[in-house]
Amino acid sequence: MTTLQDLTALARNLPAVEVAGVTADSRAVEPGYLFAALPGSQADGRRFIPQAVEAGAVAVLALPGTQAPVPVIESEEPRLTLAQIAMSLHPGQPRHVAGITGTNGKTSVARFAAQLWTALGHPSGTLGTLGAFAPGYDYALRHTTPDPVEIHQVLSTMARLGTTHLAMEVSSHGLAQHRADGVRFSQAAFTNITQDHLDYHGDFADYLAAKLRLVTELLPEGETAVIGADGAGSAEVIAATLGAGRRVCSVGRKGERLMLRSLEPLPTGLRMEVEVEGRTHALSLPLIGAFQADNALVAAGLALTSGHDDSAVLPALEHLSAAPGRMQHAGTKRVRGGEAAIYVDYAHTPDAVSTALAAIRPHAEGEVHIVLGAGGDRDRTKRPLMGRAAAEGAERVIVTDDNPRTEAPGPIREAVAEGAPGARIVPDRAAAIQEAVEALGPGDVLLIAGKGHEKYQIVGEVTYPFDDVAIAQEAARAASAAS
């Protein structure tokens, strides 16, 4: 059995208590567990020590001065200590882990990197917004970056099943709360940095500081961070990374290692030319949207800097598939005189909406339409900015509900519509999608933004089944039959 002393040096003056497991959730405590009583923005974990002890907790991890009827591991940074303890309990990890952060593009980059490594012969997986996936492994997660105990349980299981390469999304919340501090990162990637999650971080400077922890602290010195050189904030990120003693592989139109020479939209994808160390590769990318070229190049940078040659990496880009809910083709409406395409995307920030609409525009022979809303209990300042981005990038805007959560949905819709004068407001999301599909003409393109891969809608404290893709597909079938 493992003792407290095996888990952390902070326990050296405590009794040699045997520990069967660790959790920060008092409801998950079992006999023999260490309970991590963490401070939080919603509640103080120390309030739940009595329940944890009653359930069988044999020790507590908490801030100095905490009183409990069992031994207490005192830590000035209990979240960081929890990450280190979780790593000690579940030490197995894939031998190569790439951490990926940024405001937009994390999920696509992770999926693309894993696909490239798989094509190059490595058993590869992903961990992030969509869950944890690897050969023989499929596990649903509650957060983009789970708590440290869950992270290390997942990593250890993946390693045991033979996964050697992992692309792991690392969120700003996860970085600020030290959830990934026990992960042994071999590489990192930084896509871009724009406004998001200010409801949690307070201001942009704090948000950026949290993101930068991946490339300036968690990535070991001397290792490489792949940075999208065209992304917002790239110059500051590159300077911080180099200043912290890490190496940089920049990619994109301004990239030094992997340079995008040209990009041309095709009806179902992109034609691109990429230069690596003086060699030019002409490729056809089976993805919609210029930003997907950016994501693909960051993934290619990860493959290149993990020890593979461009002659093997770049041709593999032609076989990538989009992540669910990331500019996912959701249907085609047949109309007299042509067709109209429908896409679903997770864009839920002003920059992401602008980027998605700009990416779709070259593929539209007619007008661009958009359906969007904004989530409740989240950053309120971005709502009119999202509406403005929609109005600037599309001819027709329908504002509807996203996940209102515990907020009244009406004011959320009004805040979004404030930035999009002339937008039509349709409260019911399914009705909004149906109306948008029915309005499509030949050559038009519809973007359904905000929820992406999600198969639910949260209203109040109730989660209902809801799938943008399924609803769009049914609406396209009905509208095509009516035409």
Side-chain angles (χ1 to χ4, degrees):
M1 291 286 289
T2 302
T3 67
L4 292 178
Q5 287 74 14
D6 296 325
L7 298 177
T8 173
L10 294 175
R12 59 181 176 272
N13 296 322
L14 297 178
V17 176
E18 292 185 343
V19 178
V22 60
T23 182
D25 185 345
S26 61
R27 297 164 297 184
V29 171
E30 297 181 15
Y33 268 42
L34 165 66
F35 172 57
L38 304 178
S41 56
Q42 302 287 325
D44 188 335
R46 289 175 292 185
R47 289 173 43 200
F48 304 101
I49 290 175
Q51 294 95 312
V53 172
E54 184 178 353
V58 294
V60 168
L61 166 65
L63 289 167
T66 299
Q67 300 298 313
V70 294
V72 178
I73 298 174
E74 295 187 342
S75 171
E76 296 286 354
E77 290 283 358
R79 291 184 180 276
L80 175 58
T81 302
L82 175 60
Q84 296 165 342
I85 288 173
M87 180 180 64
S88 297
L89 277 175
H90 307 283
Q93 297 187 24
R95 62 179 172 82
H96 190 96
V97 181
I100 301 161
T101 198
T103 305
N104 303 308
K106 296 185 294 297
T107 300
S108 291
V109 170
R111 183 180 176 93
F112 295 161
Q115 290 179 42
L116 291 176
W117 282 325
T118 297
L120 294 165
H122 304 292
S124 303
T126 59
L127 188 159
T129 305
L130 301 179
F133 304 94
Y137 188 67
D138 184 341
Y139 179 77
L141 300 171
R142 290 176 296 172
H143 303 287
T144 298
T145 308
D147 73 68
V149 179
E150 191 172 22
I151 284 178
H152 288 284
Q153 288 173 336
V154 168
L155 295 182
S156 184
T157 301
M158 284 184 167
R160 188 175 70 252
L161 292 174
T163 301
T164 62
H165 286 58
L166 175 67
M168 175 179 171
E169 298 177 52
V170 190
S171 69
S172 60
H173 291 72
L175 287 162
Q177 296 175 8
H178 300 284
R179 296 182 206 163
D181 279 49
V183 180
R184 296 187 291 271
F185 291 107
S186 309
Q187 291 176 287
F190 205 117
T191 57
N192 49 60
I193 183 78
T194 61
Q195 179 177 328
D196 198 15
H197 299 306
L198 300 193
D199 55 309
Y200 175 82
H201 293 283
D203 58 36
F204 185 79
D206 186 65
Y207 175 54
L208 174 59
K211 289 285 192 185
L212 286 174
R213 286 199 67 237
L214 176 64
V215 293
T216 62
E217 297 180 35
L218 272 63
L219 182 68
E221 286 191 41
E223 300 296 351
T224 300
V226 179
I227 298 174
D230 305 327
S234 62
E236 187 170 359
V237 173
I238 290 172
T241 304
L242 292 173
R246 281 69 174 171
R247 295 184 292 179
V248 167
C249 168
S250 62
V251 305
R253 293 187 184 276
K254 301 176 184 176
E256 294 185 357
R257 174 72 187 275
L258 191 57
M259 183 181 296
L260 179 62
R261 283 295 190 184
S262 66
L263 186 67
E264 177 187 353
L266 302 173
T268 58
L270 300 162
R271 180 181 292 121
M272 58 194 295
E273 287 191 350
V274 179
E275 181 181 319
V276 183
E277 298 177 352
R279 297 181 294 277
T280 300
H281 300 257
L283 307 167
S284 292
L285 199 63
L287 304 166
I288 290 289
F291 71 93
Q292 288 286 46
D294 297 334
N295 293 333
L297 289 181
V298 173
L302 288 172
L304 286 172
T305 54
S306 64
H308 295 280
D309 189 77
D310 57 286
S311 62
V313 171
L314 295 182
L317 293 175
E318 297 194 320
H319 304 286
L320 295 178
S321 60
R326 270 62 178 177
M327 205 57 79
Q328 179 181 355
H329 183 249
T332 300
K333 176 188 175 184
R334 297 188 303 276
V335 294
R336 186 169 299 173
E339 296 180 336
I342 305 163
Y343 291 90
V344 168
D345 191 76
Y346 192 51
H348 60 283
T349 67
D351 180 69
V353 171
S354 293
T355 299
L357 289 172
I360 274 181
R361 174 67 64 182
H363 302 275
E365 297 177 356
E367 295 183 338
V368 173
H369 303 224
I370 184 172
V371 172
L372 85 161
D377 301 333
R378 297 294 186 269
D379 181 5
R380 299 184 180 210
T381 66
K382 72 180 182 181
R383 294 169 185 172
L385 301 179
M386 290 176 65
R388 182 189 305 168
E392 291 175 348
E395 282 77 25
R396 179 178 172 85
V397 179
I398 295 181
V399 175
T400 188
D401 289 347
D402 190 284
N403 293 317
R405 299 185 176 88
T406 62
E407 284 192 59
I412 300 176
R413 295 191 298 267
E414 292 168 6
V416 176
E418 178 185 329
R424 178 160 166 72
I425 299 178
V426 181
D428 182 86
R429 190 174 180 91
I433 292 172
Q434 182 175 350
E435 181 174 318
V437 171
E438 290 174 351
L440 293 173
D444 290 353
V445 177
L446 167 63
L447 174 67
I448 304 170
K451 289 174 57 59
H453 63 282
E454 295 176 352
K455 296 186 183 298
Y456 57 83
Q457 186 175 36
I458 305 173
V459 182
E461 296 183 352
V462 180
T463 300
Y464 298 93
F466 196 98
D467 186 341
D468 280 357
V469 173
I471 291 171
Q473 289 172 340
E474 178 55 37
R477 283 193 292 268
S480 296
S483 298

